[in-house]
Amino acid sequence: MKRKTILKKLTEIKEENLNHLTPLKNKKGKYYTGTFQVQSHLELMYLITNLIKVCILALEENECLSDKQIPQPKYNVNEVLRHTLQLIPFEEHQFIDQVVDLLDNLNDDNDG
């Protein structure tokens, strides 16, 4: 195969299969943003709370879990919580607050 054909095919395979991480660059270099497929904001909030609950369970002394199943539990919980923080949709909630304020103002104008 020619170089262009191989590059085209590899690009097609990449676009079809690598869709969860998006490469970006900043001052520190290259990094990736990830996506989670959820059906609603509520489902995302359930995902976040479930991740936190699992971390709580992992930190509690649990006789059912061994060090082999969850090595370095504090480190692993820290990593999960760090990623969970990134899942919280602050911008969307700020948007919701702004829409609610606008609706309240409209309702106040209609009442007066």
Side-chain angles (χ1 to χ4, degrees):
M1 278 194 209
K2 291 184 178 180
R3 185 175 189 271
K4 284 186 179 183
T5 306
I6 293 171
L7 284 174
K8 182 180 176 185
K9 185 66 177 171
L10 287 173
T11 301
E12 289 172 6
I13 293 169
K14 175 185 167 189
E15 289 173 3
E16 289 173 8
N17 296 292
L18 299 179
N19 53 16
H20 290 287
L21 294 177
T22 303
L24 298 170
K25 290 183 181 179
N26 65 10
K27 294 176 185 176
K28 295 181 181 179
K30 188 176 181 179
Y31 69 99
Y32 293 88
T33 60
T35 60
F36 289 89
Q37 294 182 355
V38 292
Q39 293 184 5
S40 66
H41 285 87
L42 184 60
E43 185 181 348
L44 176 61
M45 296 311 290
Y46 283 131
L47 171 64
I48 292 168
T49 56
N50 288 337
L51 286 168
I52 293 170
K53 289 174 189 176
V54 167
C55 290
I56 291 168
L57 286 173
L59 287 175
E60 290 179 351
E61 299 217 9
N62 192 334
E63 296 172 5
C64 300
L65 297 175
S66 69
D67 287 342
K68 289 182 182 179
Q69 290 171 312
I70 303 178
Q72 301 174 325
K74 288 185 181 182
Y75 169 79
N76 288 303
V77 168
N78 183 43
E79 287 297 298
V80 169
L81 290 173
R82 188 171 61 82
H83 289 293
T84 301
L85 278 174
Q86 295 174 9
L87 290 174
I88 298 172
F90 288 110
E91 293 83 6
E92 285 85 350
H93 287 282
Q94 182 179 4
F95 167 77
I96 292 169
D97 285 344
Q98 291 172 346
V99 169
V100 168
D101 286 343
L102 287 172
L103 288 172
D104 287 345
N105 288 335
L106 285 174
N107 286 331
D108 289 344
D109 289 345
N110 288 334
D111 290 342

